[in-house]
Amino acid sequence: MSHEERFYDKVGKINGWDFGDLKVFSEGVEWDFVQEVKSRCNQTDMLLDIGTGGGEYLLKLSPSLLLAIGIDLSNEMIKTAKTNLRNSTVSNVRFFQMPAEALQFPDELFDMVTSRHAPFSSNEVYRVLKAGGLFMTQQVSESDKSNIKKAFGRGQSLDEKDRTLQERYIQELQVAGFSHVQAFEYDATEYYERPEDLLFLLKHTPIVPDFGRDQNDFKVLNEFIETNTTEKGIRTNSKRFLIIAKK
């Protein structure tokens, strides 16, 4: 184990790798997804969240809704979400393990469907939405974390043209039958306060596939930190797009 690997291994043990402890801030973020959804919710609405993860977003949103259901393909994520639900005072949220391509709900059940950084089926979303219902999704753009992916020479969507996913989703939603589809995007500057914050990101997201598999990864990371450290922190970018589609 190299000196760098020992340092990062030690840092992992100290920090316990909790996303809540991540020290990062952004400049140029143009919306907050939870607030965008919340501003369009009614107290009588039923909402479905696809790829809900640990369910934290739904638990925050629950006071604005009649009922919220979160689904995820991962059994582990649903276990985490149910634990988070038990530890809360929320009573109008339910979680189920389920694939996005085969939603086990009747037609036109939901007033809203959301998906944050998770894949979805446009046809299934259209099917389970009521007439006039809204679908909202925030996704990661291809040129997100571009300087990190270039430094490592590999990464999520590295060789894909920017807006490829956005354009594909817009087309799929229109074909599925949505009457009005709008898209928005931002490219924010993101600053990670400490090397361990950036390391946490790389270890727990697919930005650089199999980070750490190569001895050289830690050397590249150190060089990246040296090159991209500013007074505000270690600099990269956060590029997101938002699609709002009305049935």
Side-chain angles (χ1 to χ4, degrees):
M1 190 182 274
S2 71
H3 167 72
E4 289 95 344
E5 284 172 282
R6 276 197 301 275
F7 165 71
Y8 290 128
D9 197 44
K10 186 178 159 205
V11 159
K13 289 188 176 78
I14 293 164
N15 281 0
W17 301 126
D18 178 357
F19 265 105
D21 294 336
L22 210 58
K23 291 186 166 50
V24 57
F25 83 97
S26 305
E27 290 176 345
V29 172
E30 292 180 23
W31 65 77
D32 174 277
F33 187 66
V34 180
Q35 290 306 317
E36 290 298 324
V37 175
K38 194 176 178 179
S39 70
R40 292 167 174 82
C41 287
N42 292 309
Q43 299 271 204
T44 53
D45 283 352
M46 287 175 59
L47 181 145
L48 171 67
D49 184 45
I50 296 169
T52 202
E56 298 88 351
Y57 147 71
L58 266 201
L59 294 172
K60 276 186 203 167
L61 207 58
S62 61
S64 306
L65 296 159
L66 178 68
L67 177 69
I69 295 175
I71 65 156
D72 203 286
L73 193 56
S74 162
N75 193 38
E76 285 306 308
M77 287 279 82
I78 291 300
K79 278 184 190 169
T80 301
K82 286 181 174 177
T83 301
N84 289 337
L85 177 59
R86 278 196 301 274
N87 294 335
S88 76
T89 55
V90 173
S91 60
N92 64 335
V93 173
R94 303 287 180 273
F95 294 110
F96 302 100
Q97 184 187 10
M98 195 183 297
E101 302 77 37
L103 300 175
Q104 293 152 36
F105 300 108
D107 296 358
E108 301 191 1
L109 180 65
F110 296 100
D111 301 279
M112 291 184 77
V113 177
T114 59
S115 168
R116 185 174 176 272
H117 303 179
F120 59 88
S121 157
S122 296
N123 288 329
E124 278 293 84
V125 169
Y126 186 85
R127 182 182 68 76
V128 300
L129 264 178
K130 291 178 184 174
L134 275 188
F135 171 58
M136 297 178 65
T137 183
Q138 177 178 292
Q139 300 286 341
V140 178
S141 299
E142 289 82 359
S143 61
D144 179 68
K145 307 291 181 293
S146 56
N147 61 349
I148 295 177
K149 292 183 281 197
K150 281 174 190 160
F152 283 89
R154 70 183 198 271
Q156 197 177 28
S157 313
L158 178 61
D159 298 319
E160 288 177 33
K161 184 168 161 276
D162 202 38
R163 299 198 179 97
T164 300
L165 184 62
Q166 183 184 147
E167 286 166 10
R168 193 189 95 205
Y169 277 151
I170 290 168
Q171 188 179 14
E172 284 177 5
L173 288 161
Q174 287 170 338
V175 169
F178 282 90
S179 62
H180 188 58
V181 182
Q182 292 175 285
F184 309 87
E185 63 183 17
Y186 69 70
D187 194 355
T189 307
E190 209 166 50
Y191 298 98
Y192 287 79
E193 191 176 299
R194 308 161 299 174
E196 51 264 45
D197 296 311
L198 186 60
L199 178 72
F200 180 89
L201 180 83
L202 295 176
K203 280 199 165 191
H204 292 83
T205 64
I207 290 162
V208 175
D210 303 317
F211 172 79
R213 71 175 180 198
D214 189 329
Q215 288 273 318
N216 199 42
D217 281 356
F218 295 95
K219 184 169 175 285
V220 173
L221 178 60
N222 277 351
E223 287 170 2
F224 176 84
I225 289 167
E226 280 176 28
T227 308
N228 292 281
T229 294
T230 70
E231 286 178 4
K232 295 176 180 179
I234 305 158
R235 183 188 53 80
T236 183
N237 75 307
S238 173
K239 188 161 189 193
R240 302 285 184 265
F241 67 88
L242 171 68
I243 294 176
I244 303 173
K246 187 175 183 180
K247 182 170 174 178

